[in-house]
Amino acid sequence: MGEPILVHAGWAIWSKQPGTREDYSVLASSDGPLSTAEFTRVLMHFAAGNPPAESGTPASLPWVVLSRVGVADRTYLGIAVQVPTDYVDGTGRPVSRTSYICVPYEEMTRSPVSYRSLTQALRTASLPDDTRALVPLAIAPFDAAGLARDVIEFGPLTVATTAALLLSGPVTIVGPEFPDTETRLRFLDTVAALLPYGYRASLTAATWADTAATGQRFRIVFATRARDQASRVAWRGTAPVPDTGPASVYLRHLQRVLGHAAGDMLELEHLIRHLAADGQPCNFDQPEHAVASLDEFFRAAIVAAAIDAEQATVAEVRLLFSRGQDGQLSPNRRHAALRHLIAAGDPQDWPLINRRYGEITANDPRSLLDCLAEAGSRSLWSGGSVEHVREHLQLAARYGLTDHVLAQFVTPPAVTANPVSGSERVGALLAEHVLADTSSFPQTQRAVGRHPAAGDRKSVV
């Protein structure tokens, strides 16, 4: 699965001493990136409520809280794990202990990690109480295959709908049945995996929260009831499908993969990796970014459908190739995409065409030769660059097909912008290639016989 990601994290311990009547506070912390007062404000702001004293209930500890904090111009991802202790305070109430870490967001974008692996790194770390140094963490790398399996386990439609709903507002996951804390964290991680990674710069979540106490601070929580403003998702039940706006568009995009994900886990993994690579920080009030990210992922399929319908633009096909997404197409559609680019005849595309022609035509270079010849002829007879047309002939020469292409240059297109200039240009090319070795160009000789005007002009252009 790859080597662990090594980072140094800020940390704090939030609790109270046994038998004391004092309130909760930061008992120990690192000396960066926050001060003790700043750690206090963050932990108080992202407190998920008051846990019950009894164990074994859906609201019982442990709780995991996912948060973020800005320090100067840097964003940090925060993880807090709140657990019970075996002692009480001065009033006899059970005391909990919260361990908190924050890691630089930009380090997570360079080497994406999941919330579960961050949480596991916190649980296994030894937060010191005798030093204020940052704590080193070894975090397991991003596991797209494991997250894809989790999507299938939790239900593709439920996970996808929950992810899409986050683009339109807060979400609460309600009962009556609730899974254990680890399953809740795994579900939150799976939902986050179906959004561009950049939303983690603003995502806040909790495996349990007192709805009344949390206000607007969390984007997604597990709780007994949903706030009025939140979408309500029933655990192992239904989720309200967004029917308008970017959330609706995003869900429809996801369903293009998730509708058959159980039969094509590889495409689901590719989708998760694509989203994990999109680390541009963004807020949930920017849902269009998520839609654009999926547009990018599905560009190949969208362009292929446009080519099939003869509605693709050259700009769309050019972008597909320039970003290397043509590899997502079937061989036949990839072939059609290159044909579309060649037919456009734009000189700026020639380096790409020249570089990819052999790979895409595989063992049949003749398959796009007529298209290549037609584009060159159209350029030649309409006053285009002769140097560009020579490049067409050089490509044909790699496969011993110069005669085939040059013969088509001799025949003027049905619509000719400048037939006199075109004849002169053809004559120049004939002088370069045919006069010294007429026996090697039988097709061209026959074409000249049908169009002798081209052969009469030998001026060099």
Side-chain angles (χ1 to χ4, degrees):
M1 200 170 86
E3 294 296 320
I5 312 302
L6 302 178
V7 299
H8 285 80
W11 59 273
I13 298 171
W14 177 262
S15 188
K16 61 172 69 174
Q17 298 294 346
T20 184
R21 291 180 176 269
E22 296 178 358
D23 205 349
Y24 282 87
S25 64
V26 172
L27 301 184
S29 70
S30 60
D31 57 6
L34 305 176
S35 66
T36 300
E38 289 169 331
F39 276 121
T40 298
R41 285 196 293 271
V42 168
L43 286 162
M44 290 181 67
H45 179 75
F46 289 110
N50 295 313
E54 64 271 19
S55 60
T57 74
S60 298
L61 297 177
W63 293 352
V64 178
V65 172
L66 315 177
S67 60
R68 80 284 182 270
V69 62
V71 181
D73 293 331
R74 302 186 77 186
T75 298
Y76 290 77
L77 301 186
I79 303 286
V81 177
Q82 186 174 358
V83 298
T85 67
D86 57 2
Y87 57 85
V88 298
D89 64 12
T91 65
R93 290 179 299 184
V95 174
S96 68
R97 175 186 170 99
T98 300
S99 299
Y100 171 83
I101 56 169
C102 57
V103 295
Y105 172 73
E106 65 266 25
E107 293 192 28
M108 299 300 93
T109 58
R110 288 195 292 268
S111 301
V113 300
S114 68
Y115 285 119
R116 288 177 63 205
S117 60
L118 268 173
T119 304
Q120 183 60 29
L122 168 58
R123 285 172 170 155
T124 57
S126 176
L127 300 187
D129 56 12
D130 57 351
T131 178
R132 303 198 66 188
L134 300 179
V135 63
L137 299 176
I139 309 169
F142 199 78
D143 181 9
L147 287 163
R149 289 191 295 271
D150 286 343
V151 169
I152 302 305
E153 177 186 335
F154 289 128
L157 180 59
T158 299
V159 178
T161 303
T162 305
L165 286 170
L166 287 172
L167 297 175
S168 60
V171 173
T172 303
I173 304 158
V174 298
E177 297 285 330
F178 288 99
D180 59 31
T181 299
E182 292 306 305
T183 303
R184 296 179 213 177
L185 179 60
R186 192 156 56 94
F187 181 78
L188 294 175
D189 223 352
T190 306
V191 170
L194 291 189
L195 290 169
Y197 203 86
Y199 284 96
R200 299 185 190 219
S202 59
L203 179 63
T204 55
T207 58
W208 188 264
D210 180 342
T211 307
T214 57
Q216 299 287 336
R217 71 195 68 170
F218 292 112
R219 195 71 180 184
I220 179 170
V221 298
F222 284 80
T224 53
R225 62 183 179 83
R227 298 199 319 266
D228 292 340
Q229 305 93 331
S231 297
R232 181 181 180 276
V233 175
W235 178 253
R236 297 298 191 190
T238 58
V241 176
D243 56 4
T244 60
S248 176
V249 176
Y250 193 77
L251 179 58
R252 289 198 300 271
H253 273 342
L254 287 178
Q255 288 175 318
R256 298 177 64 173
V257 170
L258 299 175
H260 54 87
D264 191 357
M265 289 287 287
L266 186 58
E267 186 175 9
L268 179 53
E269 287 181 40
H270 286 163
L271 171 63
I272 291 172
R273 287 194 181 93
H274 167 81
L275 293 171
D278 185 355
Q280 177 184 336
C282 51
N283 297 316
F284 283 95
D285 59 1
Q286 301 171 303
E288 297 80 6
H289 176 83
V291 175
S293 186
L294 282 194
D295 282 343
E296 178 71 14
F297 178 78
F298 289 114
R299 184 183 306 282
I302 292 170
V303 173
I307 291 173
D308 292 346
E310 299 184 351
Q311 296 175 345
T313 67
V314 177
E316 289 174 328
V317 176
R318 180 181 297 129
L319 189 59
L320 182 78
F321 276 104
S322 67
R323 297 190 176 181
Q325 293 172 300
D326 60 293
Q328 300 174 29
L329 300 177
S330 67
N332 288 342
R333 281 184 160 178
R334 198 178 183 202
H335 192 275
L338 186 61
R339 174 181 289 276
H340 194 77
L341 205 60
I342 292 171
D346 192 326
Q348 71 169 304
D349 297 321
W350 185 254
L352 187 150
I353 294 168
N354 192 44
R355 186 172 63 252
R356 306 294 292 281
Y357 188 91
E359 173 192 351
I360 293 175
T361 58
N363 297 320
D364 187 14
R366 289 179 176 270
S367 60
L368 288 177
L369 205 62
D370 287 343
C371 179
L372 188 75
E374 180 184 347
S377 178
R378 189 170 62 250
S379 176
L380 191 66
W381 287 86
S382 63
S385 167
V386 174
E387 285 304 318
H388 178 48
V389 175
R390 287 191 177 100
E391 290 175 329
H392 286 64
L393 291 172
Q394 290 167 4
L395 175 57
R398 291 211 303 257
Y399 305 99
L401 297 170
T402 307
D403 184 33
H404 181 92
V405 173
L406 191 56
Q408 295 193 49
F409 286 177
V410 172
T411 304
V415 179
T416 305
N418 191 333
V420 174
S421 177
S423 295
E424 292 176 347
R425 289 160 178 261
V426 171
L429 291 176
L430 292 175
E432 291 176 17
H433 293 84
V434 180
L435 292 183
D437 185 13
T438 56
S439 62
S440 298
F441 293 88
Q443 294 181 65
T444 304
Q445 294 283 9
R446 288 193 293 272
V448 170
R450 293 191 296 272
H451 302 279
D456 288 341
R457 299 182 183 272
K458 305 297 190 294
S459 58
V460 177
V461 180

